[in-house]
Amino acid sequence: MKIAMVTGASSGIGLAICKKLIAMNYRVYGLARDFSKTKFKHAEFKTLTCDVTHSKQLEQCVDDVFENEKQLDVLINNAGVGFFAPHEEIKVKDIERLVQTNLQAPLVLTRLVLRKIKQSEGFIINIASITAVKSSPIGSAYAATKAGIKHFSDSLFDEVRKYGVKVTTILPDMTKTPFYDGLHFKEHDDADSHVTSECVADAVETILSQRKGTVVTEMIVRPQKHQIEKKKKNDK
Ligand code: NAP
């Protein structure tokens, strides 16, 4: 049985990826702070409660996984947060959380498991965002973390491709998840104007299903139409 680790496994895209991997016969170790958000249970879904911004907690999770497993085939760095405001107004603590969650944590976790991924000639899939390659006013700090993770993926692939490691960035556009719960805007309800978590999980399946020797290094997933929904002040 193949083994995967997925961060941000309690909700949205990460949870959909866990379900997809289990359907593909993986045992999945999911990391998040609060699994009470999901009712999903499965014998091959192993939950590890962890704040990915604390490197010591990440180290502990990695130790817990390798107490039970000899190998790791897939790492999915998905956990992420979004804070959006004009840059002169965004809170400094929110900038820190953006960088720690969206950029520092994937770099640290990748460092902690890379040797095992090399041994299995496995996959590292980083969930960035369309904002990694598109300017994002009112989201400059968020976009910077996503451009950072994309550049990390590209550079890491060139560093480790000779060892058989595959590194991919997925860049989803607006996806219907709880990501927007605390924000002043959200994906549009029209089915043509957002993608779903399952679409992003399907992208993961495609990436993992290539012939040996072919690597999908980047995948952009966008809705057919571009519309966002601004929330009324009290809806937030
Ligand atoms: P979501 O439903 O809010 O999921 C975010 C996940 O990240 C949750 O499982 C959350 O778990 C976890 N997380 C956040 N902070 C964490 C921390 N400090 N430690 C551990 N886990 C943490 O949002 P989503 O849309 O699925 O987002 C997943 C990824 O997709 C993010 O990287 C996001 O930037 C990216 N993305 C989303 C969209 C979109 O439109 N939704 C578009 C492009 C990219 P806990 O709160 O339980 O810890």
Side-chain angles (χ1 to χ4, degrees), residues 8-14 31-35 37 50-53 78-81 101-102 127-130 142 146 172-175 177-180:
S10 62
S11 168
I13 293 170
L31 280 62
R33 292 165 302 180
D34 176 16
F35 282 98
K37 287 179 197 156
C50 168
D51 183 335
V52 298
T53 65
N78 162 77
V81 288
T101 314
N102 300 0
I127 308 299
S129 155
I130 189 70
Y142 177 78
K146 295 301 186 178
D173 202 333
M174 293 196 82
T175 310
T177 73
F179 183 81
Y180 297 99

PDB file of all heavy atoms in Angstrom, residues 8-14 31-35 37 50-53 78-81 101-102 127-130 142 146 172-175 177-180, ligand 1:
ATOM      1  N   GLY A   8      -3.712  20.239   5.957  1.00  0.00           N
ATOM      2  CA  GLY A   8      -5.013  20.893   5.733  1.00  0.00           C
ATOM      3  C   GLY A   8      -6.057  19.867   5.349  1.00  0.00           C
ATOM      4  O   GLY A   8      -6.874  20.080   4.437  1.00  0.00           O
ATOM      5  N   ALA A   9      -6.061  18.739   6.088  1.00  0.00           N
ATOM      6  CA  ALA A   9      -6.890  17.588   5.711  1.00  0.00           C
ATOM      7  C   ALA A   9      -8.275  17.611   6.350  1.00  0.00           C
ATOM      8  O   ALA A   9      -9.046  16.680   6.160  1.00  0.00           O
ATOM      9  CB  ALA A   9      -6.164  16.300   6.122  1.00  0.00           C
ATOM     10  N   SER A  10      -8.592  18.682   7.082  1.00  0.00           N
ATOM     11  CA  SER A  10      -9.873  18.695   7.807  1.00  0.00           C
ATOM     12  C   SER A  10     -11.003  19.332   7.005  1.00  0.00           C
ATOM     13  O   SER A  10     -12.146  19.346   7.454  1.00  0.00           O
ATOM     14  CB  SER A  10      -9.702  19.468   9.127  1.00  0.00           C
ATOM     15  OG  SER A  10      -9.352  20.809   8.860  1.00  0.00           O
ATOM     16  N   SER A  11     -10.713  19.872   5.825  1.00  0.00           N
ATOM     17  CA  SER A  11     -11.701  20.727   5.164  1.00  0.00           C
ATOM     18  C   SER A  11     -11.358  20.895   3.685  1.00  0.00           C
ATOM     19  O   SER A  11     -10.224  20.631   3.267  1.00  0.00           O
ATOM     20  CB  SER A  11     -11.645  22.091   5.888  1.00  0.00           C
ATOM     21  OG  SER A  11     -12.333  23.091   5.206  1.00  0.00           O
ATOM     22  N   GLY A  12     -12.332  21.307   2.899  1.00  0.00           N
ATOM     23  CA  GLY A  12     -12.124  21.802   1.541  1.00  0.00           C
ATOM     24  C   GLY A  12     -11.281  20.918   0.638  1.00  0.00           C
ATOM     25  O   GLY A  12     -11.494  19.699   0.522  1.00  0.00           O
ATOM     26  N   ILE A  13     -10.315  21.538  -0.012  1.00  0.00           N
ATOM     27  CA  ILE A  13      -9.485  20.857  -1.023  1.00  0.00           C
ATOM     28  C   ILE A  13      -8.700  19.705  -0.397  1.00  0.00           C
ATOM     29  O   ILE A  13      -8.633  18.602  -0.959  1.00  0.00           O
ATOM     30  CB  ILE A  13      -8.528  21.886  -1.685  1.00  0.00           C
ATOM     31  CG1 ILE A  13      -9.337  22.908  -2.515  1.00  0.00           C
ATOM     32  CG2 ILE A  13      -7.479  21.189  -2.531  1.00  0.00           C
ATOM     33  CD1 ILE A  13      -8.521  24.102  -3.022  1.00  0.00           C
ATOM     34  N   GLY A  14      -8.122  19.936   0.774  1.00  0.00           N
ATOM     35  CA  GLY A  14      -7.295  18.898   1.415  1.00  0.00           C
ATOM     36  C   GLY A  14      -8.108  17.654   1.731  1.00  0.00           C
ATOM     37  O   GLY A  14      -7.661  16.518   1.492  1.00  0.00           O
ATOM     38  N   LEU A  31      -3.024  16.051   8.256  1.00  0.00           N
ATOM     39  CA  LEU A  31      -2.650  16.987   9.323  1.00  0.00           C
ATOM     40  C   LEU A  31      -3.609  18.179   9.310  1.00  0.00           C
ATOM     41  O   LEU A  31      -3.905  18.728   8.236  1.00  0.00           O
ATOM     42  CB  LEU A  31      -1.230  17.524   9.100  1.00  0.00           C
ATOM     43  CG  LEU A  31      -0.025  16.674   9.509  1.00  0.00           C
ATOM     44  CD1 LEU A  31       0.029  15.374   8.753  1.00  0.00           C
ATOM     45  CD2 LEU A  31       1.266  17.469   9.296  1.00  0.00           C
ATOM     46  N   ALA A  32      -4.065  18.582  10.471  1.00  0.00           N
ATOM     47  CA  ALA A  32      -4.855  19.819  10.625  1.00  0.00           C
ATOM     48  C   ALA A  32      -4.973  20.080  12.113  1.00  0.00           C
ATOM     49  O   ALA A  32      -4.638  19.222  12.940  1.00  0.00           O
ATOM     50  CB  ALA A  32      -6.230  19.677   9.978  1.00  0.00           C
ATOM     51  N   ARG A  33      -5.494  21.274  12.448  1.00  0.00           N
ATOM     52  CA  ARG A  33      -5.632  21.591  13.882  1.00  0.00           C
ATOM     53  C   ARG A  33      -6.932  21.083  14.444  1.00  0.00           C
ATOM     54  O   ARG A  33      -7.047  20.809  15.635  1.00  0.00           O
ATOM     55  CB  ARG A  33      -5.577  23.131  14.082  1.00  0.00           C
ATOM     56  CG  ARG A  33      -4.232  23.748  13.801  1.00  0.00           C
ATOM     57  CD  ARG A  33      -4.341  25.238  13.651  1.00  0.00           C
ATOM     58  NE  ARG A  33      -5.267  25.573  12.569  1.00  0.00           N
ATOM     59  CZ  ARG A  33      -5.580  26.785  12.176  1.00  0.00           C
ATOM     60  NH1 ARG A  33      -5.032  27.825  12.777  1.00  0.00           N
ATOM     61  NH2 ARG A  33      -6.417  26.987  11.189  1.00  0.00           N
ATOM     62  N   ASP A  34      -7.974  20.947  13.599  1.00  0.00           N
ATOM     63  CA  ASP A  34      -9.304  20.674  14.147  1.00  0.00           C
ATOM     64  C   ASP A  34     -10.097  19.740  13.231  1.00  0.00           C
ATOM     65  O   ASP A  34     -10.718  20.193  12.269  1.00  0.00           O
ATOM     66  CB  ASP A  34     -10.041  22.021  14.317  1.00  0.00           C
ATOM     67  CG  ASP A  34     -11.467  21.828  14.785  1.00  0.00           C
ATOM     68  OD1 ASP A  34     -11.799  20.721  15.260  1.00  0.00           O
ATOM     69  OD2 ASP A  34     -12.247  22.801  14.674  1.00  0.00           O
ATOM     70  N   PHE A  35     -10.084  18.460  13.565  1.00  0.00           N
ATOM     71  CA  PHE A  35     -10.799  17.483  12.732  1.00  0.00           C
ATOM     72  C   PHE A  35     -12.281  17.367  13.107  1.00  0.00           C
ATOM     73  O   PHE A  35     -12.995  16.597  12.486  1.00  0.00           O
ATOM     74  CB  PHE A  35     -10.102  16.115  12.792  1.00  0.00           C
ATOM     75  CG  PHE A  35      -8.881  16.056  11.936  1.00  0.00           C
ATOM     76  CD1 PHE A  35      -7.621  16.251  12.486  1.00  0.00           C
ATOM     77  CD2 PHE A  35      -8.979  15.851  10.569  1.00  0.00           C
ATOM     78  CE1 PHE A  35      -6.484  16.236  11.697  1.00  0.00           C
ATOM     79  CE2 PHE A  35      -7.849  15.827   9.767  1.00  0.00           C
ATOM     80  CZ  PHE A  35      -6.604  16.022  10.331  1.00  0.00           C
ATOM     81  N   LYS A  37     -14.311  19.397  12.346  1.00  0.00           N
ATOM     82  CA  LYS A  37     -15.006  20.000  11.201  1.00  0.00           C
ATOM     83  C   LYS A  37     -15.520  18.961  10.225  1.00  0.00           C
ATOM     84  O   LYS A  37     -16.340  19.272   9.379  1.00  0.00           O
ATOM     85  CB  LYS A  37     -14.016  20.865  10.412  1.00  0.00           C
ATOM     86  CG  LYS A  37     -13.632  22.143  11.053  1.00  0.00           C
ATOM     87  CD  LYS A  37     -12.632  22.832  10.122  1.00  0.00           C
ATOM     88  CE  LYS A  37     -11.904  23.899  10.864  1.00  0.00           C
ATOM     89  NZ  LYS A  37     -10.617  24.198  10.244  1.00  0.00           N
ATOM     90  N   CYS A  50      -2.299  18.930  14.423  1.00  0.00           N
ATOM     91  CA  CYS A  50      -1.010  19.631  14.304  1.00  0.00           C
ATOM     92  C   CYS A  50      -1.227  21.038  13.773  1.00  0.00           C
ATOM     93  O   CYS A  50      -2.020  21.242  12.858  1.00  0.00           O
ATOM     94  CB  CYS A  50      -0.157  18.833  13.309  1.00  0.00           C
ATOM     95  SG  CYS A  50       1.327  19.642  12.746  1.00  0.00           S
ATOM     96  N   ASP A  51      -0.528  21.998  14.365  1.00  0.00           N
ATOM     97  CA  ASP A  51      -0.489  23.349  13.801  1.00  0.00           C
ATOM     98  C   ASP A  51       0.772  23.428  12.945  1.00  0.00           C
ATOM     99  O   ASP A  51       1.888  23.394  13.475  1.00  0.00           O
ATOM    100  CB  ASP A  51      -0.459  24.389  14.935  1.00  0.00           C
ATOM    101  CG  ASP A  51      -0.494  25.807  14.401  1.00  0.00           C
ATOM    102  OD1 ASP A  51      -0.077  26.026  13.234  1.00  0.00           O
ATOM    103  OD2 ASP A  51      -0.927  26.700  15.138  1.00  0.00           O
ATOM    104  N   VAL A  52       0.593  23.512  11.635  1.00  0.00           N
ATOM    105  CA  VAL A  52       1.752  23.424  10.735  1.00  0.00           C
ATOM    106  C   VAL A  52       2.700  24.614  10.858  1.00  0.00           C
ATOM    107  O   VAL A  52       3.822  24.560  10.354  1.00  0.00           O
ATOM    108  CB  VAL A  52       1.334  23.250   9.248  1.00  0.00           C
ATOM    109  CG1 VAL A  52       0.576  21.963   9.036  1.00  0.00           C
ATOM    110  CG2 VAL A  52       0.547  24.461   8.737  1.00  0.00           C
ATOM    111  N   THR A  53       2.253  25.681  11.538  1.00  0.00           N
ATOM    112  CA  THR A  53       3.148  26.829  11.702  1.00  0.00           C
ATOM    113  C   THR A  53       4.177  26.582  12.807  1.00  0.00           C
ATOM    114  O   THR A  53       5.093  27.375  12.989  1.00  0.00           O
ATOM    115  CB  THR A  53       2.364  28.133  12.007  1.00  0.00           C
ATOM    116  OG1 THR A  53       1.714  27.997  13.266  1.00  0.00           O
ATOM    117  CG2 THR A  53       1.340  28.427  10.926  1.00  0.00           C
ATOM    118  N   ASN A  78      -0.932  21.423   1.401  1.00  0.00           N
ATOM    119  CA  ASN A  78      -2.193  22.084   1.024  1.00  0.00           C
ATOM    120  C   ASN A  78      -2.654  23.106   2.057  1.00  0.00           C
ATOM    121  O   ASN A  78      -3.325  24.072   1.694  1.00  0.00           O
ATOM    122  CB  ASN A  78      -3.274  21.002   0.839  1.00  0.00           C
ATOM    123  CG  ASN A  78      -4.671  21.578   0.885  1.00  0.00           C
ATOM    124  OD1 ASN A  78      -5.138  22.179  -0.069  1.00  0.00           O
ATOM    125  ND2 ASN A  78      -5.340  21.430   2.038  1.00  0.00           N
ATOM    126  N   ALA A  79      -2.325  22.921   3.344  1.00  0.00           N
ATOM    127  CA  ALA A  79      -2.859  23.821   4.389  1.00  0.00           C
ATOM    128  C   ALA A  79      -2.578  25.265   3.998  1.00  0.00           C
ATOM    129  O   ALA A  79      -1.470  25.598   3.574  1.00  0.00           O
ATOM    130  CB  ALA A  79      -2.223  23.508   5.738  1.00  0.00           C
ATOM    131  N   GLY A  80      -3.581  26.106   4.152  1.00  0.00           N
ATOM    132  CA  GLY A  80      -3.364  27.507   3.807  1.00  0.00           C
ATOM    133  C   GLY A  80      -4.431  28.396   4.422  1.00  0.00           C
ATOM    134  O   GLY A  80      -5.522  27.938   4.774  1.00  0.00           O
ATOM    135  N   VAL A  81      -4.062  29.669   4.548  1.00  0.00           N
ATOM    136  CA  VAL A  81      -5.016  30.667   5.047  1.00  0.00           C
ATOM    137  C   VAL A  81      -5.030  31.840   4.072  1.00  0.00           C
ATOM    138  O   VAL A  81      -4.081  32.025   3.299  1.00  0.00           O
ATOM    139  CB  VAL A  81      -4.634  31.179   6.457  1.00  0.00           C
ATOM    140  CG1 VAL A  81      -4.878  30.105   7.511  1.00  0.00           C
ATOM    141  CG2 VAL A  81      -3.181  31.662   6.512  1.00  0.00           C
ATOM    142  N   THR A 101       2.045  29.868   7.414  1.00  0.00           N
ATOM    143  CA  THR A 101       1.186  28.738   7.017  1.00  0.00           C
ATOM    144  C   THR A 101       1.413  28.367   5.555  1.00  0.00           C
ATOM    145  O   THR A 101       1.567  27.188   5.227  1.00  0.00           O
ATOM    146  CB  THR A 101      -0.312  29.118   7.192  1.00  0.00           C
ATOM    147  OG1 THR A 101      -0.499  29.738   8.460  1.00  0.00           O
ATOM    148  CG2 THR A 101      -1.194  27.880   7.082  1.00  0.00           C
ATOM    149  N   ASN A 102       1.423  29.365   4.685  1.00  0.00           N
ATOM    150  CA  ASN A 102       1.400  29.088   3.236  1.00  0.00           C
ATOM    151  C   ASN A 102       2.791  28.853   2.661  1.00  0.00           C
ATOM    152  O   ASN A 102       2.905  28.259   1.593  1.00  0.00           O
ATOM    153  CB  ASN A 102       0.764  30.259   2.475  1.00  0.00           C
ATOM    154  CG  ASN A 102      -0.667  30.542   2.894  1.00  0.00           C
ATOM    155  OD1 ASN A 102      -1.208  29.869   3.766  1.00  0.00           O
ATOM    156  ND2 ASN A 102      -1.280  31.543   2.298  1.00  0.00           N
ATOM    157  N   ILE A 127      -0.100  22.941  -3.217  1.00  0.00           N
ATOM    158  CA  ILE A 127      -1.312  23.655  -3.640  1.00  0.00           C
ATOM    159  C   ILE A 127      -1.027  25.149  -3.503  1.00  0.00           C
ATOM    160  O   ILE A 127      -0.997  25.685  -2.379  1.00  0.00           O
ATOM    161  CB  ILE A 127      -2.543  23.241  -2.795  1.00  0.00           C
ATOM    162  CG1 ILE A 127      -2.721  21.713  -2.749  1.00  0.00           C
ATOM    163  CG2 ILE A 127      -3.799  23.941  -3.338  1.00  0.00           C
ATOM    164  CD1 ILE A 127      -2.940  21.023  -4.088  1.00  0.00           C
ATOM    165  N   ALA A 128      -0.799  25.788  -4.624  1.00  0.00           N
ATOM    166  CA  ALA A 128      -0.562  27.239  -4.615  1.00  0.00           C
ATOM    167  C   ALA A 128      -1.890  27.926  -4.899  1.00  0.00           C
ATOM    168  O   ALA A 128      -2.889  27.693  -4.200  1.00  0.00           O
ATOM    169  CB  ALA A 128       0.504  27.596  -5.642  1.00  0.00           C
ATOM    170  N   SER A 129      -1.948  28.717  -5.939  1.00  0.00           N
ATOM    171  CA  SER A 129      -3.163  29.467  -6.281  1.00  0.00           C
ATOM    172  C   SER A 129      -2.878  30.165  -7.601  1.00  0.00           C
ATOM    173  O   SER A 129      -1.716  30.441  -7.929  1.00  0.00           O
ATOM    174  CB  SER A 129      -3.442  30.500  -5.185  1.00  0.00           C
ATOM    175  OG  SER A 129      -4.207  31.577  -5.691  1.00  0.00           O
ATOM    176  N   ILE A 130      -3.930  30.490  -8.319  1.00  0.00           N
ATOM    177  CA  ILE A 130      -3.774  31.264  -9.558  1.00  0.00           C
ATOM    178  C   ILE A 130      -3.058  32.596  -9.261  1.00  0.00           C
ATOM    179  O   ILE A 130      -2.379  33.154 -10.117  1.00  0.00           O
ATOM    180  CB  ILE A 130      -5.159  31.500 -10.233  1.00  0.00           C
ATOM    181  CG1 ILE A 130      -5.017  32.099 -11.625  1.00  0.00           C
ATOM    182  CG2 ILE A 130      -6.072  32.363  -9.368  1.00  0.00           C
ATOM    183  CD1 ILE A 130      -4.448  31.161 -12.634  1.00  0.00           C
ATOM    184  N   TYR A 142      -0.913  37.530   0.300  1.00  0.00           N
ATOM    185  CA  TYR A 142      -1.330  36.151  -0.028  1.00  0.00           C
ATOM    186  C   TYR A 142      -0.658  35.708  -1.327  1.00  0.00           C
ATOM    187  O   TYR A 142      -0.057  34.628  -1.403  1.00  0.00           O
ATOM    188  CB  TYR A 142      -2.855  36.112  -0.158  1.00  0.00           C
ATOM    189  CG  TYR A 142      -3.414  34.764  -0.576  1.00  0.00           C
ATOM    190  CD1 TYR A 142      -3.530  33.722   0.349  1.00  0.00           C
ATOM    191  CD2 TYR A 142      -3.838  34.522  -1.889  1.00  0.00           C
ATOM    192  CE1 TYR A 142      -4.047  32.482  -0.032  1.00  0.00           C
ATOM    193  CE2 TYR A 142      -4.347  33.287  -2.275  1.00  0.00           C
ATOM    194  CZ  TYR A 142      -4.463  32.272  -1.336  1.00  0.00           C
ATOM    195  OH  TYR A 142      -4.970  31.042  -1.715  1.00  0.00           O
ATOM    196  N   LYS A 146       2.021  32.539  -2.371  1.00  0.00           N
ATOM    197  CA  LYS A 146       1.704  31.528  -3.381  1.00  0.00           C
ATOM    198  C   LYS A 146       2.738  31.549  -4.513  1.00  0.00           C
ATOM    199  O   LYS A 146       3.099  30.500  -5.051  1.00  0.00           O
ATOM    200  CB  LYS A 146       0.286  31.749  -3.918  1.00  0.00           C
ATOM    201  CG  LYS A 146      -0.796  31.525  -2.839  1.00  0.00           C
ATOM    202  CD  LYS A 146      -0.721  30.118  -2.270  1.00  0.00           C
ATOM    203  CE  LYS A 146      -1.836  29.778  -1.315  1.00  0.00           C
ATOM    204  NZ  LYS A 146      -1.772  28.396  -0.820  1.00  0.00           N
ATOM    205  N   PRO A 172      -5.065  26.473  -8.250  1.00  0.00           N
ATOM    206  CA  PRO A 172      -6.521  26.583  -8.421  1.00  0.00           C
ATOM    207  C   PRO A 172      -6.951  28.045  -8.455  1.00  0.00           C
ATOM    208  O   PRO A 172      -6.388  28.895  -7.773  1.00  0.00           O
ATOM    209  CB  PRO A 172      -7.098  25.905  -7.161  1.00  0.00           C
ATOM    210  CG  PRO A 172      -5.928  25.310  -6.434  1.00  0.00           C
ATOM    211  CD  PRO A 172      -4.721  26.055  -6.883  1.00  0.00           C
ATOM    212  N   ASP A 173      -7.959  28.298  -9.250  1.00  0.00           N
ATOM    213  CA  ASP A 173      -8.667  29.585  -9.190  1.00  0.00           C
ATOM    214  C   ASP A 173      -9.758  29.428  -8.115  1.00  0.00           C
ATOM    215  O   ASP A 173      -9.725  28.467  -7.328  1.00  0.00           O
ATOM    216  CB  ASP A 173      -9.256  29.890 -10.571  1.00  0.00           C
ATOM    217  CG  ASP A 173      -9.525  31.384 -10.774  1.00  0.00           C
ATOM    218  OD1 ASP A 173      -9.761  32.086  -9.774  1.00  0.00           O
ATOM    219  OD2 ASP A 173      -9.534  31.829 -11.934  1.00  0.00           O
ATOM    220  N   MET A 174     -10.758  30.276  -8.098  1.00  0.00           N
ATOM    221  CA  MET A 174     -11.723  30.281  -6.985  1.00  0.00           C
ATOM    222  C   MET A 174     -12.433  28.938  -6.852  1.00  0.00           C
ATOM    223  O   MET A 174     -13.083  28.467  -7.775  1.00  0.00           O
ATOM    224  CB  MET A 174     -12.717  31.414  -7.166  1.00  0.00           C
ATOM    225  CG  MET A 174     -12.025  32.753  -7.034  1.00  0.00           C
ATOM    226  SD  MET A 174     -13.148  34.118  -6.779  1.00  0.00           S
ATOM    227  CE  MET A 174     -13.459  34.010  -5.043  1.00  0.00           C
ATOM    228  N   THR A 175     -12.285  28.352  -5.690  1.00  0.00           N
ATOM    229  CA  THR A 175     -12.782  27.010  -5.421  1.00  0.00           C
ATOM    230  C   THR A 175     -13.787  27.092  -4.282  1.00  0.00           C
ATOM    231  O   THR A 175     -13.561  27.804  -3.297  1.00  0.00           O
ATOM    232  CB  THR A 175     -11.596  26.095  -5.022  1.00  0.00           C
ATOM    233  OG1 THR A 175     -10.551  26.235  -5.990  1.00  0.00           O
ATOM    234  CG2 THR A 175     -12.017  24.648  -4.929  1.00  0.00           C
ATOM    235  N   THR A 177     -15.101  26.355  -1.172  1.00  0.00           N
ATOM    236  CA  THR A 177     -14.692  25.719   0.097  1.00  0.00           C
ATOM    237  C   THR A 177     -14.965  26.713   1.235  1.00  0.00           C
ATOM    238  O   THR A 177     -15.257  27.890   0.982  1.00  0.00           O
ATOM    239  CB  THR A 177     -13.166  25.423   0.127  1.00  0.00           C
ATOM    240  OG1 THR A 177     -12.466  26.662   0.278  1.00  0.00           O
ATOM    241  CG2 THR A 177     -12.669  24.692  -1.111  1.00  0.00           C
ATOM    242  N   PRO A 178     -14.767  26.279   2.479  1.00  0.00           N
ATOM    243  CA  PRO A 178     -14.932  27.221   3.609  1.00  0.00           C
ATOM    244  C   PRO A 178     -13.858  28.312   3.687  1.00  0.00           C
ATOM    245  O   PRO A 178     -13.893  29.149   4.582  1.00  0.00           O
ATOM    246  CB  PRO A 178     -14.854  26.299   4.835  1.00  0.00           C
ATOM    247  CG  PRO A 178     -15.203  24.938   4.329  1.00  0.00           C
ATOM    248  CD  PRO A 178     -14.645  24.880   2.933  1.00  0.00           C
ATOM    249  N   PHE A 179     -12.893  28.303   2.744  1.00  0.00           N
ATOM    250  CA  PHE A 179     -11.810  29.302   2.717  1.00  0.00           C
ATOM    251  C   PHE A 179     -12.350  30.730   2.842  1.00  0.00           C
ATOM    252  O   PHE A 179     -11.732  31.598   3.449  1.00  0.00           O
ATOM    253  CB  PHE A 179     -11.067  29.130   1.386  1.00  0.00           C
ATOM    254  CG  PHE A 179      -9.866  30.004   1.172  1.00  0.00           C
ATOM    255  CD1 PHE A 179      -8.638  29.673   1.727  1.00  0.00           C
ATOM    256  CD2 PHE A 179      -9.947  31.143   0.375  1.00  0.00           C
ATOM    257  CE1 PHE A 179      -7.516  30.464   1.492  1.00  0.00           C
ATOM    258  CE2 PHE A 179      -8.824  31.935   0.142  1.00  0.00           C
ATOM    259  CZ  PHE A 179      -7.611  31.597   0.698  1.00  0.00           C
ATOM    260  N   TYR A 180     -13.530  30.973   2.236  1.00  0.00           N
ATOM    261  CA  TYR A 180     -14.058  32.343   2.163  1.00  0.00           C
ATOM    262  C   TYR A 180     -14.939  32.709   3.348  1.00  0.00           C
ATOM    263  O   TYR A 180     -15.463  33.825   3.393  1.00  0.00           O
ATOM    264  CB  TYR A 180     -14.822  32.528   0.838  1.00  0.00           C
ATOM    265  CG  TYR A 180     -13.920  32.361  -0.359  1.00  0.00           C
ATOM    266  CD1 TYR A 180     -13.865  31.162  -1.061  1.00  0.00           C
ATOM    267  CD2 TYR A 180     -13.075  33.393  -0.751  1.00  0.00           C
ATOM    268  CE1 TYR A 180     -12.994  31.001  -2.132  1.00  0.00           C
ATOM    269  CE2 TYR A 180     -12.198  33.235  -1.818  1.00  0.00           C
ATOM    270  CZ  TYR A 180     -12.165  32.038  -2.495  1.00  0.00           C
ATOM    271  OH  TYR A 180     -11.295  31.881  -3.542  1.00  0.00           O
TER     272      TYR A 180
HETATM  273  P1  NAP B   1     -10.248  25.548   3.768  1.00  0.00           P
HETATM  274  O1  NAP B   1     -11.457  24.732   3.520  1.00  0.00           O
HETATM  275  O2  NAP B   1     -10.318  26.722   4.679  1.00  0.00           O
HETATM  276  O3  NAP B   1      -9.075  24.571   4.220  1.00  0.00           O
HETATM  277  C1  NAP B   1      -7.859  25.024   4.761  1.00  0.00           C
HETATM  278  C2  NAP B   1      -7.189  23.855   5.462  1.00  0.00           C
HETATM  279  O4  NAP B   1      -5.930  24.307   5.976  1.00  0.00           O
HETATM  280  C3  NAP B   1      -8.015  23.349   6.638  1.00  0.00           C
HETATM  281  O5  NAP B   1      -7.963  21.934   6.690  1.00  0.00           O
HETATM  282  C4  NAP B   1      -7.288  23.939   7.841  1.00  0.00           C
HETATM  283  O6  NAP B   1      -7.411  23.076   8.951  1.00  0.00           O
HETATM  284  C5  NAP B   1      -5.838  23.934   7.338  1.00  0.00           C
HETATM  285  N1  NAP B   1      -4.996  24.850   8.089  1.00  0.00           N
HETATM  286  C6  NAP B   1      -5.035  26.222   8.097  1.00  0.00           C
HETATM  287  N2  NAP B   1      -4.127  26.686   8.978  1.00  0.00           N
HETATM  288  C7  NAP B   1      -3.503  25.600   9.511  1.00  0.00           C
HETATM  289  C8  NAP B   1      -2.487  25.438  10.484  1.00  0.00           C
HETATM  290  N3  NAP B   1      -1.888  26.492  11.090  1.00  0.00           N
HETATM  291  N4  NAP B   1      -2.112  24.189  10.823  1.00  0.00           N
HETATM  292  C9  NAP B   1      -2.704  23.105  10.233  1.00  0.00           C
HETATM  293  N5  NAP B   1      -3.653  23.205   9.307  1.00  0.00           N
HETATM  294  C10 NAP B   1      -4.061  24.436   8.953  1.00  0.00           C
HETATM  295  O7  NAP B   1      -9.696  26.164   2.382  1.00  0.00           O
HETATM  296  P2  NAP B   1      -9.302  25.482   0.980  1.00  0.00           P
HETATM  297  O8  NAP B   1      -9.901  26.330  -0.052  1.00  0.00           O
HETATM  298  O9  NAP B   1      -9.568  24.027   0.990  1.00  0.00           O
HETATM  299  O10 NAP B   1      -7.739  25.770   0.988  1.00  0.00           O
HETATM  300  C11 NAP B   1      -6.763  24.764   0.790  1.00  0.00           C
HETATM  301  C12 NAP B   1      -5.584  25.369   0.024  1.00  0.00           C
HETATM  302  O11 NAP B   1      -6.035  25.770  -1.266  1.00  0.00           O
HETATM  303  C13 NAP B   1      -4.992  26.609   0.675  1.00  0.00           C
HETATM  304  O12 NAP B   1      -3.587  26.556   0.577  1.00  0.00           O
HETATM  305  C14 NAP B   1      -5.529  27.755  -0.179  1.00  0.00           C
HETATM  306  O13 NAP B   1      -4.671  28.865  -0.183  1.00  0.00           O
HETATM  307  C15 NAP B   1      -5.558  27.071  -1.530  1.00  0.00           C
HETATM  308  N6  NAP B   1      -6.441  27.701  -2.509  1.00  0.00           N
HETATM  309  C16 NAP B   1      -7.785  27.863  -2.265  1.00  0.00           C
HETATM  310  C17 NAP B   1      -8.582  28.461  -3.221  1.00  0.00           C
HETATM  311  C18 NAP B   1     -10.046  28.706  -3.006  1.00  0.00           C
HETATM  312  O14 NAP B   1     -10.638  29.454  -3.803  1.00  0.00           O
HETATM  313  N7  NAP B   1     -10.695  28.080  -2.021  1.00  0.00           N
HETATM  314  C19 NAP B   1      -8.029  28.892  -4.435  1.00  0.00           C
HETATM  315  C20 NAP B   1      -6.662  28.703  -4.650  1.00  0.00           C
HETATM  316  C21 NAP B   1      -5.890  28.101  -3.690  1.00  0.00           C
HETATM  317  P3  NAP B   1      -7.647  23.530  10.482  1.00  0.00           P
HETATM  318  O15 NAP B   1      -8.307  24.887  10.462  1.00  0.00           O
HETATM  319  O16 NAP B   1      -8.488  22.416  11.049  1.00  0.00           O
HETATM  320  O17 NAP B   1      -6.272  23.561  11.057  1.00  0.00           O
END
